[in-house]
Amino acid sequence: MDVVMPVSLPTSAGTRETLDMGYPILNLQKLEDPRVSIHACAQKYGSQAIRSIFEKLEERSSPATFEEINLSDNIIGDEGAKFLKDGLSGNGKLKRLILPRTQIRSAGFQAIGGLIGSLPSLEMLVLSGNLADAEGVDDEFSKGLCKNQSLKSLCLAACRLGHQGVATLCDGPLRTHPSLSHVSLNYNRLEDAVCGSIVKMLAVNKTLEYLELCGNSIGPAGAEGLVKGLIANKGKLRRLGLGQNSIRLRGAKALCTHFMSPEGQLLEFLDLRHNCVTYPGVAEIRNMLKKPLEDDEHNKGWMLNLGGRQLMLNAF
C-alpha cells in the first residue's frame, strides 16, 4: 500500500521510525518478526511517540482519521494517556482503542475517561492489564463512561479494581449505559462482597449481554446471589463467565439449576470451569441435569451442548 502521510516518530532507543499516519489503523504492537519479543515491543514506543503523532498531524492541519489505535504492550504510562486525550478528544472516526498492558495507572484512567466521554463513535475500549485500582475508575472515568453513548465492549481484566472499583462502575455507568453489551472484569480480586453491586446492576441494566467474572475469588454465597441478579435481569444477559473462582458444588448447583429453569432459558453460555466442584460434584450436577456422565456419549467433556446453549463444567 502506498504511504499517504509519512511521519517520523521517536523510539525509546533514541532512533526514529517512519510510520503512515493516513492509514485507518494505527498498530504500534509490532510483532511481525518472530525474533521480536513483547519486551522489545514494550520498550520501542513511549509517551513521546504518542505526543509526536498528534504534533505532526497538527503541523499538517490534519485531524486524526484513525478508526483503530492499538498500542498493546507499549509503555506509554499516564503521560501517554494524557497525550491521547489531548490529541483525540472529540474525534468522530475512532471506533476501537486498544491499550492493554501499557502501564497506565489511576491518573491515566482518569485521562482516558475524559477522552471516551467525547468520542461519539467509539465501540471498543481495552484497558486490561493496567493497574488502575479502585480510584482509577472513579470520578472522571465513570463520568466519561456515563457520557459515552456508543461503546459496546469494555475490557478491564486484571486492573486490580477490587470490590470498590467494580461497585463504582455497577452503581454508576453500568446501570444505564445505552449500548454496552460486553464487559470483562476477569482477574480483579473480586470476592462475594462484589456480587451485591452486580445484582443491583443486573436488575436494571437493559443492554449487557456478556459479563466476564473469571479468575476471581467469588464463592458459593456470591454465586447464589448472582442467581438472584439473573432472575431480576429477565434474560437480557446471554453469556456469563465464572470460570476459575471458588463457587464449589453449592454455587455450581445454584447456577446450573437456574440455567435449566424456565427463567434461565435465555442464558446461552455459562462457564463454571475450575471452581473446585470435584468429580462427585460434577456427577451429582450431571444427574440433576439428566445428563449423567455414564450415559451421555455426546457430553463427556467439559462442555454440555443443550440445543444452541452451552454449559462449561469440570471437576477441578
Side-chain angles (χ1 to χ4, degrees):
M1 180 177 291
D2 294 335
V3 175
V4 296
M5 191 183 295
V7 169
S8 177
L9 297 181
T11 70
S12 299
T15 61
R16 300 189 73 86
E17 183 170 312
T18 300
L19 296 177
D20 182 3
M21 295 296 106
Y23 191 61
I25 297 177
L26 175 64
N27 182 5
L28 297 189
Q29 190 189 40
K30 301 290 187 178
L31 297 174
E32 292 89 348
D33 189 325
R35 294 170 297 179
V36 176
S37 67
I38 289 289
H39 176 74
C41 172
Q43 299 297 320
K44 190 166 188 179
Y45 298 106
S47 62
Q48 296 308 308
I50 307 305
R51 184 187 68 173
S52 186
I53 288 171
F54 297 109
E55 286 181 345
K56 297 296 184 183
L57 290 173
E58 185 176 2
E59 287 174 5
R60 302 180 187 204
S61 300
S62 176
T65 58
F66 308 118
E67 295 181 7
E68 176 180 309
I69 295 178
N70 182 358
L71 303 179
S72 302
D73 300 297
N74 286 279
I75 301 176
I76 68 168
D78 291 346
E79 187 177 45
K82 183 180 183 301
F83 290 143
L84 286 172
K85 176 186 176 183
D86 294 343
L88 291 169
S89 288
N91 187 286
K93 297 286 188 179
L94 190 64
K95 295 180 180 179
R96 296 174 294 277
L97 183 57
I98 305 172
L99 304 172
R101 303 174 301 277
T102 49
Q103 293 196 15
I104 296 173
R105 303 298 289 264
S106 299
F109 269 70
Q110 296 295 303
I112 295 299
L115 171 61
I116 62 177
S118 72
L119 299 177
S121 301
L122 187 68
E123 297 178 354
M124 175 190 291
L125 176 62
V126 181
L127 288 167
S128 300
N130 293 297
L131 302 184
D133 295 313
E135 57 265 30
V137 294
D138 200 357
D139 199 25
E140 291 303 315
F141 187 87
S142 285
K143 289 177 182 177
L145 190 53
C146 285
K147 290 179 183 177
N148 178 276
Q149 301 290 301
S150 60
L151 196 64
K152 296 179 180 178
S153 178
L154 175 62
C155 297
L156 297 174
C159 288
R160 207 166 65 183
L161 300 181
H163 166 221
Q164 187 55 54
V166 172
T168 295
L169 294 172
C170 288
D171 294 345
L174 297 189
R175 290 175 62 88
T176 57
H177 197 284
S179 61
L180 196 56
S181 60
H182 167 244
V183 174
S184 173
L185 297 171
N186 295 338
Y187 302 101
N188 269 299
R189 305 183 179 185
L190 305 179
E191 299 181 352
D192 285 349
V194 79
C195 294
S197 298
I198 294 174
V199 167
K200 292 177 183 177
M201 179 272 292
L202 289 175
V204 297
N205 183 282
K206 300 182 183 302
T207 60
L208 190 62
E209 296 181 0
Y210 188 10
L211 177 61
E212 296 185 79
L213 296 169
C214 299
N216 289 293
S217 300
I218 295 171
E224 291 172 339
L226 289 175
V227 170
K228 296 178 182 177
L230 292 171
I231 293 172
N233 183 256
K234 298 181 180 179
K236 299 178 185 71
L237 190 76
R238 300 302 181 92
R239 294 176 288 279
L240 176 62
L242 272 170
Q244 294 177 280
N245 277 275
S246 302
I247 68 172
R248 300 185 178 274
L249 175 59
R250 174 182 148 197
K253 283 180 68 175
L255 285 159
C256 289
T257 298
H258 172 74
F259 187 77
M260 297 301 290
S261 70
E263 295 90 346
Q265 291 303 300
L266 292 177
L267 192 61
E268 299 170 355
F269 174 79
L270 179 61
D271 183 2
L272 302 179
R273 292 172 296 172
H274 308 300
N275 270 289
C276 301
V277 176
T278 74
Y279 183 83
V282 170
E284 180 180 340
I285 291 175
R286 294 289 295 267
N287 288 331
M288 179 183 76
L289 301 180
K290 296 182 170 50
K291 296 283 185 180
L293 289 168
E294 62 273 16
D295 295 338
D296 194 345
E297 290 298 326
H298 301 291
N299 288 298
K300 283 193 172 180
W302 291 357
M303 182 169 67
L304 283 76
N305 288 306
L306 305 166
R309 306 166 70 220
Q310 295 177 339
L311 172 62
M312 310 288 280
L313 179 69
N314 65 358
F316 49 89

